[in-house]
Amino acid sequence: MPHEQLVVADYRAARTYALAGGSVRELGGGVLAEHAGFLALPPGGASGARHARWAYADDRAGALVVGGPAGERRHPIAIPAEHLACDPAGRHVAVTTGAGANAEPWSDVVTLVDLDDGEPVRFRVRTGEPGVMIVPDRRSGEAVLLIRHREPGAIEAVPLERAAAAGPHVPEVRGATTHDIADDGHGDVVDQRTGTAATATRRGLERFAVEDGLPRPLGAVPWPVAGRAYYLRFDPATGCALGVVRGPGAPDAWTSWTNALVEIDLETGRTRHADLPPGLAFRFALGGGRAAVATIHPDGDRLTLIDRSGPRMRPLWQTALPAMSHPPAPGRLPWEPVGGAPAQRRAVALDPSGTTAAVTRGGDGEIHLVREEGTETVALPSPLHEGGHLLWPSSSPDAGTDPVGR
């Protein structure tokens, strides 16, 4: 196994672990906000030491947990956490709020945490399920909070300096807004080197930039296959956004959903794609110029490793996964409970070299470490209901990070 440690969150059990060398070590623990996920921070920090760092929102304690080899630090934030994102230096982390356990979004509070001085500020924007990115203004270079709203769709630009100066008592802080975006945005990426941000909608990958404080649409790139993506990742090595496009179909007909891994260059709009097995493809992982995708299906779950280094994306290998004891039920929404128990899922991570994939066996408390030559299974002390969350951060200063939580 590579020397970098795999970070595991069993958010239903409020426990977190580090996995390295086949051994499991329990970390501080917390209820990771499932939708916001893990945020990989740039290696280093205020001390200047180069080591892997990560963050997540503890959705019970109301804290941003920042972890690394030196342990964990906690900063108070507003919850329920919806999304989180950091600036290029990894100093500022923004956290938006969503619905949590409620049927409708009810909070409009954003928290901005300064990891160097530890002083968080809170301010209000607009109730909804907002995404968040930190992007440089292409003209001034000023850092801007780019907030993506839904129903109605909007992109709002709030200068980071103004947000950081928000006073006490949670004041309203608003910015310049464009409404030229579909209402169903879900999944955001940003290339902080070029100042290009993008959101997945039914219209395609809708791109934006901030110029002189104003968010400006750069045009949408249509999905190259039928359907749409709901979840995106960013590859800083190539400047590309990647997502699994789910084909059209009834929400409860998940066993016949088609899937394709789609890659879109944020600057040129060039697209590539690779077909995947049918079924439920949830979160996926990137690393070492490759992508790992797990698909859940009654005929057998599979893990596919895709090589992205050549002119065409191509599967390197595909392997069958041991069945989960309580998978989603055909003919029902794949996240609906089955017999009173959670419908289980899988989380996926790929080590920074792209040679080892980790995939969870939700509800059965196992992680499979899959390589071309074989699979090793590691048991955890808790069941990993709903699949948990995984992060395989890199300590290399040249690797780059995706500055949005996944």
Side-chain angles (χ1 to χ4, degrees):
M1 180 188 294
H3 69 276
E4 287 92 349
Q5 63 180 354
L6 175 69
V7 186
V8 185
D10 186 341
Y11 54 85
R12 288 299 184 192
R15 302 173 78 174
T16 54
Y17 310 95
L19 176 61
S23 64
V24 178
R25 176 171 60 90
E26 188 155 359
L27 300 176
V31 180
L32 175 142
E34 186 269 339
H35 196 272
F38 274 118
L39 172 65
L41 295 169
S47 67
R50 288 293 177 184
H51 52 70
R53 299 187 301 152
W54 61 88
Y56 69 88
D58 185 334
D59 228 16
R60 182 169 62 186
L64 180 74
V65 181
V66 180
E72 293 183 346
R73 292 189 301 154
R74 289 174 169 259
H75 307 267
I77 59 170
I79 55 174
E82 183 76 4
H83 288 282
L84 64 163
C86 68
D87 64 358
R91 173 178 176 175
H92 292 97
V93 176
V95 186
T96 60
T97 51
N102 304 280
E104 299 291 339
W106 56 275
S107 175
D108 58 1
V109 178
V110 177
T111 307
L112 182 64
V113 181
D114 186 331
L115 298 184
D116 282 0
D117 67 18
E119 288 293 331
V121 297
R122 296 180 182 86
F123 57 93
R124 296 184 299 111
V125 286
R126 195 192 92 188
T127 301
E129 297 175 294
V132 65
M133 298 157 277
I134 300 179
V135 59
D137 187 304
R138 284 188 171 183
R139 297 276 175 81
S140 68
E142 178 185 18
V144 178
L145 282 179
L146 206 60
I147 300 173
R148 185 261 304 151
H149 299 290
R150 303 179 70 208
E151 299 174 346
I155 297 290
E156 182 174 6
V158 178
L160 184 68
E161 185 177 9
R162 180 147 61 90
H169 314 305
V170 198
E172 185 178 66
V173 178
R174 304 304 302 269
T177 301
T178 177
H179 295 276
D180 188 4
I181 180 175
D183 288 342
D184 61 346
H186 200 120
D188 311 295
V189 292
V190 58
D191 187 342
Q192 293 174 329
R193 297 167 300 182
T194 64
T196 303
T199 291
T201 77
R202 66 179 181 276
R203 302 197 303 208
L205 186 69
E206 302 203 40
R207 299 172 295 165
F208 301 87
V210 178
E211 296 181 351
D212 293 328
L214 303 175
R216 182 170 69 88
L218 300 177
V221 180
W223 303 116
V225 295
R228 62 155 292 179
Y230 291 88
Y231 172 82
L232 298 178
R233 285 187 180 271
F234 177 69
D235 180 3
T238 62
C240 291
L242 291 99
V244 172
V245 170
R246 179 187 304 163
D252 57 357
W254 63 271
T255 58
S256 60
W257 288 348
T258 59
N259 301 292
L261 180 71
V262 171
E263 178 187 273
I264 301 177
D265 188 298
L266 287 185
E267 294 307 301
T268 67
R270 175 190 58 83
T271 66
R272 302 190 299 171
H273 73 275
D275 292 333
L276 296 165
L280 174 62
F282 199 50
R283 294 182 172 96
F284 63 97
L286 302 177
R290 296 173 174 177
V293 188
T295 46
I296 299 171
H297 195 275
D299 293 340
D301 298 355
R302 309 195 70 80
L303 180 72
T304 305
L305 187 73
I306 294 176
D307 181 15
R308 303 171 42 237
S309 62
R312 299 181 61 185
M313 293 198 297
R314 61 184 183 89
L316 283 177
W317 47 257
Q318 190 176 99
T319 187
L321 296 169
M324 296 181 290
S325 298
H326 300 283
R332 304 177 64 175
L333 296 176
W335 36 86
E336 283 187 3
V338 180
Q344 302 297 345
R345 299 192 293 258
R346 299 184 183 274
V348 183
L350 196 54
D351 80 88
S353 70
T355 58
T356 302
V359 57
T360 61
R361 188 180 179 205
D364 293 288
E366 293 181 345
I367 296 178
H368 307 298
L369 301 173
V370 186
R371 309 173 186 86
E372 188 172 10
E373 61 270 22
T375 299
E376 173 189 356
T377 298
V378 178
L380 292 182
S382 57
L384 278 173
H385 282 311
E386 298 180 5
H389 253 285
L390 299 178
L391 176 69
W392 218 325
S394 173
S395 58
S396 169
D398 302 320
T401 56
D402 183 342
V404 177
R406 308 295 178 194

